[in-house]
Amino acid sequence: MIEVPEGVRAVARSLGDVPAYVYDLPALDRHAAAVRAVTEGVELHYAVKANPDAEILRTLAPHLDGLEVSSGGEFAHATAVLPDLPVSFGGPGKIEAELALAPSAYRWHVESPAELRRLTGPAEVLLRVNLGVPVAGAALAMGGGATPFGMDGEGVAECLRLLATGPGAEGPAAHRPAPHGAGVHDPGRRGPVRLRGVHAHLASGLAAPALLELAEAVLAYGRGLGLAEFNLGGGMAVDYADPDARFDWAEYGRGLRDLARPGETLRIEPGRAMTAYCGWYLTRVIDVKRVHGERFAVLSGGTHHLRTPVTKGHDQPFAVLGGATKTAGTVEIPQIAPTTLVGRLCTPKDVFARRVPAALEPGDVVAFAMAGAYAWNISHHDFLMHPKPSFHYLG
Ligand SMILES: *Cc1c(COP(=O)(O)O)cnc(C)c1O
């Protein structure tokens, strides 16, 4: 059962043909505060790529220790919106203009030995490791095998050699203040590149016990290198098939505190599980029809606004609300029947949900839930040149 906040219903009541996004900021604030409370002792960064909306960043900020960005664009945006929050910078394939930001980053996540050679210090680096550990059950695997993300043991060993031999580069044991001078190479211009620890974002869509197992493996690996700082990534599960099932943050927080040893810094960087639940995408039913025995509801919006169900291959959960403009001449008496909810793009891929029980008629508003992460900002807005949705912020 999906509970639709009154503020979302109010937007639905006045919704015309143009779809709308509604972000429930008070709900986001409560959620972030709850996550913060049960993960005490662990640094909490937010992965901006899940949803970089400025209001969302501002709502999250009081509960965060920092932000994680994966591009120069995200860095510029995040530091403009929240100039005071430390920023971890990651992502494969960093271009020169991005490498130049290393001195401004709180932590720099090195993805390869070649990147480390190109890096301009001063920089506080974590080596992104791709451990050969099983990531069974994950929705997406960024590690545990051959992927372009991070480094295996050979890559890490090469980085350690570079850091040990580079003029001015400090190895893991060094905790003295930053000396003037050189980085890994080019002693003339660069500041030190200091190895702080390891970073791992191995999989997404995992429950707390599975993420804790991965954390244990990452900690063991980093300790083996003599390191004491660990970024354990994001990937906390979000279950679109069951909007009420939530990642067990309390169990995860407890587990991380149990794993940590005195003097160690543990950091996490969740994205999806922070913001997914605060977003709603509202769109009207334009047409209901039966084709070859199957009932379709065609909506005024489409997956060019909310790509999530296409990329993840799920039925996006929704509630049906009465709209402002019920069309005259209803084509059929609405009764609950298996209905496929589609947008109005000219492609059979434009599907929000398949054969789900629903009673819909033209003019109804469909409020898609769990549209606050990897939703608007990953969608192909310009396809077919339909109008963009309006944005509303509760709170
Ligand atoms: C995407 C990403 C995250 C966030 O992942 P979620 O599944 O949204 O929690 C964290 N760290 C890195 C490096 C990422 O690429």
Side-chain angles (χ1 to χ4, degrees):
M1 184 60 200
I2 293 174
E3 252 183 65
V4 184
E6 174 47 34
V8 175
R9 292 177 183 277
V11 174
R13 281 195 289 275
S14 59
L15 192 76
D17 280 341
V18 178
Y21 263 94
V22 186
Y23 291 129
D24 187 346
L25 299 180
L28 178 63
D29 181 62
R30 287 193 300 274
H31 175 56
V35 169
R36 172 71 293 179
V38 297
T39 56
E40 219 200 304
V42 176
E43 287 187 17
L44 180 62
H45 284 206
Y46 167 63
V48 170
K49 79 172 189 289
N51 190 335
D53 183 283
E55 291 301 325
I56 287 200
L57 295 184
R58 279 192 275 268
T59 303
L60 288 172
H63 311 292
L64 299 176
D65 298 297
L67 299 167
E68 186 267 346
V69 304
S70 294
S71 76
E74 284 188 346
F75 183 88
H77 172 69
T79 52
V81 176
L82 298 172
D84 297 330
L85 268 192
V87 178
S88 296
F89 198 119
K94 299 184 186 79
I95 61 173
E96 291 306 317
E98 290 168 335
L99 289 171
L101 297 169
S104 317
Y106 172 67
R107 291 293 182 269
W108 191 263
H109 299 164
V110 173
E111 292 264 347
S112 77
E115 180 188 324
L116 184 58
R117 283 197 189 86
R118 292 163 61 216
L119 187 60
T120 306
E124 309 291 329
V125 307
L126 303 185
L127 302 179
R128 181 169 182 181
V129 300
N130 173 352
L131 304 183
V133 291
V135 288
L140 292 173
M142 275 63 65
T147 71
F149 306 105
M151 294 173 271
D152 59 15
E154 270 178 48
V156 170
E158 192 174 342
C159 285
L160 294 177
R161 277 195 301 276
L162 284 167
L163 286 161
T165 58
E170 293 185 40
H175 291 294
R176 49 208 151 90
H180 289 294
V184 168
H185 64 150
D186 192 352
R189 287 185 301 115
R190 303 186 178 201
V193 173
R194 295 203 295 174
L195 178 59
R196 290 283 192 164
V198 292
H199 169 248
H201 174 65
L202 297 170
S204 83
L206 293 179
L211 272 188
L212 286 169
E213 255 179 61
L214 286 181
E216 204 170 351
V218 173
L219 289 166
Y221 185 85
R223 286 168 185 155
L225 302 177
L227 298 168
E229 185 174 316
F230 309 87
N231 183 324
L232 302 165
M236 297 73 186
V238 168
D239 188 350
Y240 291 88
D242 184 358
D244 292 330
R246 298 299 168 98
F247 181 82
D248 193 337
W249 287 100
E251 180 185 4
Y252 187 57
R254 235 182 355 259
L256 290 181
R257 278 193 298 278
D258 287 347
L259 288 175
R261 292 179 186 164
E264 289 183 340
T265 300
L266 272 55
R267 185 176 306 125
I268 56 174
E269 46 182 22
R272 188 186 303 271
M274 294 299 283
T275 57
Y277 301 97
C278 78
W280 298 81
Y281 175 63
L282 274 50
T283 173
R284 281 183 58 214
V285 180
I286 300 296
D287 197 359
V288 177
K289 61 184 181 181
R290 198 171 283 281
V291 181
H292 289 298
E294 184 159 344
R295 187 158 86 157
F296 292 91
V298 184
L299 309 177
S300 64
T303 56
H304 56 311
H305 293 167
L306 176 63
R307 213 173 124 71
T308 326
V310 179
T311 55
K312 304 230 1 128
H314 62 231
D315 294 329
Q316 191 73 24
F318 64 90
V320 180
L321 306 174
T325 52
K326 289 245 180 183
T327 313
T330 299
V331 287
E332 58 181 289
I333 309 290
Q335 50 189 333
I336 293 192
T339 306
T340 294
L341 280 71
V342 301
R344 57 194 186 107
L345 300 180
C346 311
T347 160
K349 295 185 176 177
D350 189 19
V351 178
F352 290 104
R354 286 176 208 279
R355 295 179 202 103
V356 292
L360 289 169
E361 62 177 335
D364 282 338
V365 171
V366 176
F368 287 103
M370 301 174 74
Y374 304 102
W376 167 250
N377 66 306
I378 65 156
S379 303
H380 43 303
H381 321 144
D382 291 327
F383 187 41
L384 263 114
M385 303 178 78
H386 287 314
K388 303 272 195 290
S390 58
F391 285 81
H392 307 259
Y393 300 89
L394 308 185

